[in-house]
């Protein structure tokens, strides 16, 4: 067919980059037929690559490559120079520009984009997990958690959970209230995964007062009462001791500082899980 162009796409990973380029180019030539029946993914041997290129010559094809392996890319480049094959390397010319400007060299690891995608989706899943198991909504989530955060009201349990979720940790949290029994399932959670948060009572009273002010609520309840706060904190310390929790004093600490301590602890104890 006169207006048909045979296109070979070659990659040492999935090959989606060349597919996206081909789709963009195809849209600009509506009168032409681009036959991309020849898609070669996970090409990592020189012999396999040369066989594909020989077939491309026979088919008078255009070859689009996203090989990140420098040796394979050079093999394809030399082959195309010798045979006059229509060959387009999408990766290595750009690599050379970056190298000349910075002196840095590519890691030449196929599929790294998809590994980054996996990290991204793991993070999204962790965020959804943190939302689902926030504020003790479903204690069953404790058993699936990388960390279970306990603390009295306004010790930043939820912000800390979300911050850690953004780093890929599955985190649940539970408010501690002396009059409310603890979920029995907490007994099944390893103490190393339980994080207890405490705060200076005066600071906590001020934080709670500010919270009520922001909501336009009265301070008449025991919520900001200093004596009551001392009782709550004492109760929380008893819970932490019983469950062998890792305790962090969040007084005057930013969420980032507290998260750093949690992450450091989790990494230190993970070898024992």
């Amino acid at each position: 067919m006169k207006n048909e162009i045979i296109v070979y796409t070659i990659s040492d990973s999935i090959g989606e980059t060349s597919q996206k380029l081909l789709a963009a180019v195809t849209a600009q030539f509506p009168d032409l037929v681009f036959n991309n029946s020849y898609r070669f993914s996970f090409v990592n041997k020189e012999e396999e690559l040369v066989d594909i290129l020989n077939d491309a010559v026979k088919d008078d094809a255009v070859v689009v490559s996203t090989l990140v392996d420098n040796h394979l890319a050079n093999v394809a480049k030399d082959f195309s120079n010798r045979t006059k094959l229509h060959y387009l390397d999408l990766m290595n010319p750009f690599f050379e520009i970056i190298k000349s400007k910075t002196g840095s060299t590519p890691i030449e690891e196929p599929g790294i984009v998809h590994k980054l995608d996996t990290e991204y989706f793991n993070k999204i899943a962790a965020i959804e997990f943190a939302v689902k198991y926030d504020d003790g909504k479903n204690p069953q989530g404790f058993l699936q958690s990388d960390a279970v955060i306990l603390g009295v009201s306004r010790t930043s349990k939820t912000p800390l959970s979300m911050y850690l979720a953004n780093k890929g940790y599955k985190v649940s949290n539970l408010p501690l209230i002396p009059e409310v029994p603890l979920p029995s399932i907490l007994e099944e959670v390893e103490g190393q995964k339980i994080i207890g948060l405490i705060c200076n009572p005066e600071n906590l009273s001020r934080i709670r007062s500010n919270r009520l002010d922001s909501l336009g609520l009265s301070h008449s309840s025991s919520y900001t009462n200093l004596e009551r706060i001392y009782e709550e904190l004492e109760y929380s310390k008893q819970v932490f001791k019983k469950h062998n929790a890792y305790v962090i004093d969040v007084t005057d600490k930013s969420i980032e500082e507290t998260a750093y301590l949690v992450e450091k602890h989790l990494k230190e104890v993970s070898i024992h899980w």
Side-chain angles (χ1 to χ4, degrees):
M1 188 183 300
K2 186 175 181 181
N3 65 342
E4 179 185 65
I5 297 178
I6 296 175
V7 180
Y8 278 44
T9 52
I10 306 174
S11 174
D12 38 19
S13 182
I14 295 175
E16 285 186 348
T17 303
S18 56
Q19 295 302 312
K20 290 176 181 177
L21 173 69
L22 186 58
V25 171
T26 300
Q28 298 299 320
F29 293 91
D31 297 331
L32 299 179
V33 175
F34 290 83
N35 180 355
N36 186 214
S37 303
Y38 309 91
R39 303 177 184 179
F40 303 93
S41 302
F42 303 106
V43 176
N44 53 26
K45 292 183 173 59
E46 181 176 339
E47 298 80 3
E48 179 186 12
L49 174 60
V50 171
D51 286 344
I52 294 169
L53 295 174
N54 276 317
D55 287 341
V57 171
K58 294 174 185 176
D59 288 334
D60 191 26
V62 173
V63 176
V64 181
S65 161
T66 53
L67 296 166
V68 299
D69 182 282
N70 187 59
H71 173 70
L72 292 180
N74 283 330
V75 167
K77 179 181 178 181
D78 292 342
F79 182 98
S80 63
N81 287 337
R82 292 196 314 272
T83 62
K84 308 302 181 184
L85 176 68
H86 296 289
Y87 176 75
L88 175 63
D89 183 342
L90 292 181
M91 306 297 283
N92 284 272
F94 199 4
F95 288 168
E96 290 301 318
I97 292 172
I98 301 301
K99 185 177 178 180
S100 67
K101 286 182 68 67
T102 68
S104 298
T105 56
I107 59 175
E108 297 184 24
E109 183 176 345
I112 192 69
V113 169
H114 300 286
K115 290 183 181 179
L116 293 175
D117 285 347
T118 299
E119 291 177 8
Y120 171 78
F121 286 115
N122 286 343
K123 183 176 76 171
I124 295 301
I127 292 172
E128 291 175 347
F129 185 95
V131 171
K132 182 176 182 180
Y133 298 110
D134 181 43
D135 210 28
K137 289 175 186 171
N138 186 350
Q140 290 296 322
F142 293 170
L143 298 181
Q144 306 165 45
S145 302
D146 296 317
V148 179
I149 299 174
L150 310 181
V152 301
S153 177
R154 310 316 297 174
T155 48
S156 299
K157 297 181 299 298
T158 295
L160 178 60
S161 296
M162 296 307 299
Y163 187 92
L164 289 167
N166 270 280
K167 304 195 80 174
Y169 292 96
K170 293 188 294 182
V171 182
S172 54
N173 70 75
L174 176 72
L176 297 181
I177 305 170
E179 295 77 17
V180 178
L182 295 171
S184 59
I185 201 167
L186 190 62
E187 300 286 346
E188 301 178 40
V189 181
E190 296 178 66
Q192 294 170 328
K193 294 185 179 183
I194 298 177
I195 310 297
L197 305 182
I198 59 173
C199 183
N200 175 275
E202 287 77 12
N203 284 44
L204 194 54
S205 177
R206 185 169 60 254
I207 292 169
R208 290 184 177 185
S209 294
N210 291 338
R211 176 60 174 168
L212 291 180
D213 288 342
S214 70
L215 296 174
L217 299 177
S218 166
H219 291 213
S220 59
S221 70
S222 62
Y223 187 62
T224 59
N225 180 273
L226 200 55
E227 184 176 345
R228 167 64 180 183
I229 290 174
Y230 270 101
E231 292 175 1
E232 290 182 35
L233 289 171
E234 184 58 36
Y235 167 72
S236 70
K237 291 175 183 177
Q238 293 172 11
V239 172
F240 301 155
K241 183 177 181 180
K242 177 183 177 182
H243 291 278
N244 195 30
Y246 175 67
V247 181
I248 302 174
D249 187 339
V250 300
T251 307
D252 297 327
K253 282 189 176 64
S254 66
I255 295 298
E256 292 82 0
E257 289 175 298
T258 306
Y260 168 79
L261 294 174
V262 173
E263 191 171 12
K264 183 172 180 285
H265 166 73
L266 293 177
K267 288 177 178 178
E268 288 174 350
V269 301
S270 64
I271 57 174
H272 304 299
W273 296 353

